[in-house]
Amino acid sequence: MVREWDPRNASSDEIASLLGTLNAVLAADLPQDPPWRESSLREYLSEVMPGERRISWVAQAEPAPDAAPDVLSGHVNVLLLGGIGVLEVLVHPAARRTGLGRELVRVAARRVWDEGFQSIGVEVVGGTPAVAFYESLGFTREYVETRSVLDLNAVDWPALAEMATGVGAGYHLEFCPGGPPDDLIEAYARAKAEVRDVDDGELRPSSYDPERLRASLDTLHRRGMKPYIVLALHEQTGEVAGLTEVVVPAQHPTRADQYDTIVVRDHRGYGIDRAIKARMLLELRSAEPELVEVQTWNAQANEAMLKVNAELGYRPDREWCEYSVDVAELVHHLDPPR
């Protein structure tokens, strides 16, 4: 049985069951990834940016008389933002090849169509069964990144400390746990608006104006995700010349997520990119003692950032792909008129 589901008022047993399904999927498809925890999982599933909506469904088998209630074998949610619905699907490995995944996508696609959206996008991890599943439904690959992972236990910390001081004269670095100070938020937004060293694709949009940035930071905190930022400030003008963002989620605090890294065009060539990322790792070492890994995503054409990451010790892991499909075509494919 597939039913609409709101994590804000779901039972604790349902949240725990969904966590079990998520970790079973990770163990089957991404065995090197750390298991998730229940910390702030409810908030992670329910909190969204202003102007966005998330709609969720769960699959719940009819329980046997002696079975535990609230056992969820599948979950789908769609985030409605801009002109696209972003899909996430989980099916417990024991329930695969039963048609459940297809049914979850059908229900979500029908709602996206009813809401008036024209396309659906989904992130698909290379080397997992999801690739063949979504391609069989008519999704096409639009964008590819490489995920790389840094093992902090293998870092050469003295070399990293030297990299962190390698920024050119006329700049200084500032560590900002929790987000940039309010007096720098406008300069921060200008830097993000001008250029990004990482093109995140359509499914992970960045924020380029001060109010949107404040809302983004607030949403991260409400979802149980702690942001850390290192800024490179141009001493003569006080402008933000470069920035790097890392988020440590309460749901998997041993592995952090790299977000944007930006060097403003006029300030390139002064070693800012490598210095701010090295400084970030040094700060995280003391700020987050539980942290053991950092993962980052880069466009395959972004050779400069891939080179910096390699110097810091990141190792390529696997492809991370964006797929999309026309909603009308998907609905017709999954739920044809009779």
Side-chain angles (χ1 to χ4, degrees):
M1 176 182 67
V2 175
R3 59 180 171 86
E4 196 164 334
W5 183 76
D6 187 345
R8 290 171 295 184
N9 53 36
S11 70
S12 298
D13 286 342
E14 286 182 337
I15 295 293
S17 179
L18 181 59
L19 177 65
T21 292
L22 170 60
N23 283 331
V25 170
L26 287 175
D29 297 344
L30 296 167
Q32 302 305 315
D33 282 28
W36 281 42
R37 303 178 185 180
E38 198 166 335
S39 301
S40 297
L41 182 58
R42 186 187 303 271
E43 293 76 14
Y44 178 87
L45 294 167
S46 58
E47 297 290 342
V48 296
M49 288 278 287
E52 299 177 357
R53 288 185 296 140
R54 190 187 306 275
I55 308 171
S56 299
W57 297 261
V58 293
Q60 183 174 7
E62 294 293 339
D66 57 345
D70 303 324
V71 175
L72 307 180
S73 56
H75 172 256
V76 60
N77 74 77
V78 61
L79 179 65
L80 302 175
L81 72 163
I84 191 171
V86 182
L87 192 68
E88 291 183 301
V89 179
L90 285 176
V91 175
H92 195 287
R96 289 177 176 175
R97 299 187 179 278
T98 64
L100 176 57
R102 186 183 178 92
E103 175 63 10
L104 290 169
V105 173
R106 186 193 68 79
V107 170
R110 171 59 68 175
R111 176 62 67 87
V112 173
W113 171 255
D114 291 343
E115 295 280 347
F117 287 75
Q118 295 184 347
S119 64
I120 288 180
V122 62
E123 287 190 339
V124 180
V125 183
T128 69
V131 174
F133 172 70
Y134 286 108
E135 290 181 352
S136 74
L137 297 180
F139 284 77
T140 58
R141 184 180 298 194
E142 303 288 348
Y143 181 79
V144 181
E145 293 179 309
T146 297
R147 183 178 77 165
S148 300
V149 179
L150 174 66
D151 178 359
L152 296 179
N153 292 320
V155 166
D156 184 340
W157 293 105
L160 202 73
E162 186 174 346
M163 293 181 195
T165 62
V167 66
Y171 299 92
H172 75 271
L173 306 187
E174 186 171 322
F175 176 58
C176 307
D182 201 64
D183 62 334
L184 286 175
I185 198 78
E186 291 190 5
Y188 188 85
R190 284 194 295 272
K192 287 176 75 75
E194 179 176 336
V195 64
R196 285 182 296 166
D197 278 340
V198 180
D199 178 4
D200 286 325
E202 188 177 5
L203 306 189
R204 292 199 298 272
S206 191
S207 300
Y208 304 132
D209 68 83
E211 291 310 310
R212 184 78 176 167
L213 278 168
R214 290 187 180 98
S216 177
L217 290 165
D218 179 61
T219 303
L220 283 173
H221 285 291
R222 286 187 284 110
R223 298 185 82 199
M225 305 168 77
K226 187 184 300 183
Y228 292 94
I229 293 167
V230 172
L231 303 176
L233 299 175
H234 186 227
E235 294 172 351
Q236 184 176 357
T237 64
E239 286 294 299
V240 173
L243 62 95
T244 192
E245 306 162 334
V246 168
V247 172
V248 180
Q251 299 81 17
H252 52 90
T254 62
R255 179 181 284 193
D257 300 326
Q258 174 78 59
Y259 280 32
D260 280 349
T261 295
I262 296 165
V263 179
V264 175
R265 186 171 288 104
D266 290 345
H267 300 283
R268 292 181 176 179
Y270 297 96
I272 290 174
D273 47 3
R274 188 173 69 165
I276 57 178
K277 296 195 77 168
R279 172 69 179 275
M280 174 66 79
L281 295 172
L282 291 167
E283 296 287 357
L284 288 174
R285 189 185 189 191
S286 56
E288 294 285 343
E290 195 175 359
L291 192 64
V292 295
E293 295 173 312
V294 181
Q295 59 186 359
T296 187
W297 293 263
N298 297 100
Q300 295 174 335
N302 192 354
E303 296 179 1
M305 190 54 62
L306 290 170
K307 181 176 183 294
V308 168
N309 288 339
E311 291 173 352
L312 294 170
Y314 284 88
R315 295 292 177 263
D317 176 43
R318 62 175 67 221
E319 287 187 343
W320 219 264
C321 311
E322 290 185 9
Y323 279 71
S324 68
V325 69
D326 179 84
V327 173
E329 293 179 4
L330 180 61
V331 169
H332 183 78
H333 179 77
L334 292 172
D335 199 7
R338 297 176 182 176

